[in-house]
Amino acid sequence: MSREGYVRDLRALIGPRPVNLIGVAALITDPHGQLLLARRVNADRWGLIAGLSELGESPDATLRREVHEESRLTVTDAGLIDLLGPAGLSEAPNGDQFYAYTAAYRVTGWHGTPQPDGHELADLRFFPRADLPHLPLTRLGHAALAWTA
């Protein structure tokens, strides 16, 4: 069952009440140490490639699937670097409430050419670490500053 189907079925049973959701974020650098940042469709801030786990999917499998779906990159090696708890209770535009937990991975092996999927991501670019503090960043983009320090 896809994540969309799982969440839809869950919401049919519980309505908008809070749930826990687990997702992943990918810290990907190129051979020059530049960080790959993503800008979502209809957003103006930069962050990491990220996404939610499907029902029964491991975080490692989620990482590989999300990176490939959103960027066309194939992850060959990665290691867990952090587990972020929720910043607080979040609410989707439709009123559904959730707490988001994010397993952050440092991707140490990958191949391919980054290409935004055009559905979730509008842009993907490698940035020198020194440029990050000057960019409008998402919560995960700000976390990347600490992880690359």
Side-chain angles (χ1 to χ4, degrees):
M1 174 183 297
S2 72
R3 175 181 52 90
E4 289 81 16
Y6 165 66
V7 172
R8 183 186 59 244
D9 291 350
L10 181 64
R11 289 299 181 191
L13 294 171
I14 67 163
R17 288 181 287 187
V19 297
N20 287 330
L21 297 175
I22 182 74
V24 299
L27 187 75
I28 301 171
T29 53
D30 70 6
H32 307 289
Q34 297 185 103
L35 180 64
L36 183 63
L37 293 180
R39 188 176 54 78
R40 294 208 166 289
V41 171
N42 298 321
D44 61 353
R45 296 183 303 151
W46 293 89
L48 301 176
I49 294 173
L52 293 175
S53 294
E54 294 181 357
L55 184 62
E57 184 179 45
S58 72
D60 183 67
T62 302
L63 171 76
R64 294 168 193 283
R65 178 183 53 76
E66 285 289 344
V67 168
H68 191 263
E69 286 177 359
E70 294 184 4
S71 72
R72 301 298 173 242
L73 295 178
T74 300
V75 172
T76 58
D77 196 26
L80 183 68
I81 57 173
D82 204 351
L83 179 60
L84 299 176
L89 180 64
S90 296
E91 187 169 311
N94 67 359
D96 290 349
Q97 297 178 330
F98 60 94
Y99 292 99
Y101 295 83
T102 305
Y105 287 84
R106 182 180 310 276
V107 176
T108 54
W110 57 271
H111 61 80
T113 301
Q115 300 172 15
D117 65 1
H119 173 68
E120 291 186 61
L121 298 185
D123 201 357
L124 279 169
R125 292 188 210 165
F126 282 101
F127 289 93
R129 195 221 177 270
D131 289 355
L132 269 60
H134 309 292
L135 295 172
L137 298 172
T138 65
R139 177 178 178 232
L140 290 173
H142 284 289
L145 286 171
W147 296 326
T148 58

